[in-house]
Amino acid sequence: MRLGVYVHVPFCDRICVYCDFAKEVANDTKKAQYLDALEEEMAYYQDFFKHARTLYVGGGTPTALPYPLLERLLQHLSSRLPMDALEEFTIEANPNDVTQEIAQLFKRYGVNRVSLGVQTFANHHLNFLNRTHQAQDVKLAVQILRDAGINNL
């Protein structure tokens, strides 16, 4: 049996006008409580995870988690899933959240594909959509991720 695992992180730094996904702007305490519950649920489904061949962490936006919670999530996933057997490990990120530190964190935990939330390169449209980034942030994020060795974007 081949299995794909999707992990939903329902948090955003701000709510975009077009988005229908389950998400909210939350404080760090609520985010940590969510991870507590997620870790509990993952323990329950542990036997299924050994068959995982793909992992997708989406949302909301996983990079809306503060760095320590994002690292906690990635560490927990790597302890529960057969990371060496994964053919693809994707995580969603907002372009303005991508720093060298975040890119290195992704690389350290085996992320080999990043889905950047880029709806347009027109800054006036990005503002209208209530996005947190501008076009130049996308270019910088792409360069940072490529410099970290993550080229599947």
Side-chain angles (χ1 to χ4, degrees):
M1 169 173 53
R2 295 172 57 87
L3 179 71
V5 174
Y6 173 76
V7 176
H8 188 72
V9 179
F11 305 113
C12 293
D13 292 327
R14 92 170 57 149
I15 304 301
C16 300
V17 297
Y18 59 87
C19 183
D20 284 342
F21 293 106
K23 78 285 183 192
E24 67 178 284
V25 175
N27 63 37
D28 291 350
T29 299
K30 187 166 188 178
K31 291 174 183 180
Q33 290 170 339
Y34 180 81
L35 288 185
D36 291 342
L38 181 64
E39 290 167 3
E40 209 173 290
E41 185 173 4
M42 288 181 68
Y44 179 79
Y45 288 104
Q46 177 61 42
D47 289 342
F48 292 101
F49 292 141
K50 64 184 171 191
H51 302 290
R53 293 301 171 260
T54 63
L55 172 60
Y56 191 101
V57 182
T61 310
T63 55
L65 293 171
Y67 185 93
L69 292 180
L70 182 59
E71 185 172 29
R72 175 181 159 189
L73 172 64
L74 294 174
Q75 192 285 323
H76 192 76
L77 290 168
S78 71
S79 73
R80 293 282 181 188
L81 280 90
M83 302 307 284
D84 292 341
L86 289 183
E87 297 163 14
E88 184 175 277
F89 180 178
T90 300
I91 193 165
E92 291 181 3
N94 278 330
N96 56 307
D97 292 337
V98 176
T99 62
Q100 289 178 342
E101 186 178 38
I102 292 289
Q104 290 302 318
L105 179 70
F106 289 171
K107 188 69 175 175
R108 185 167 60 250
Y109 282 97
V111 172
N112 57 21
R113 181 175 176 264
V114 176
S115 178
L116 289 171
V118 180
Q119 283 66 37
T120 178
F121 287 94
N123 286 333
H124 66 283
H125 290 306
L126 290 166
N127 291 333
F128 173 78
L129 295 172
N130 205 28
R131 296 298 292 155
T132 58
H133 69 276
Q134 297 289 291
Q136 67 270 16
D137 297 322
V138 176
K139 295 173 187 170
L140 180 59
V142 167
Q143 189 60 54
I144 289 170
L145 290 165
R146 286 186 173 155
D147 288 348
I150 302 171
N151 294 305
N152 192 354
L153 310 172

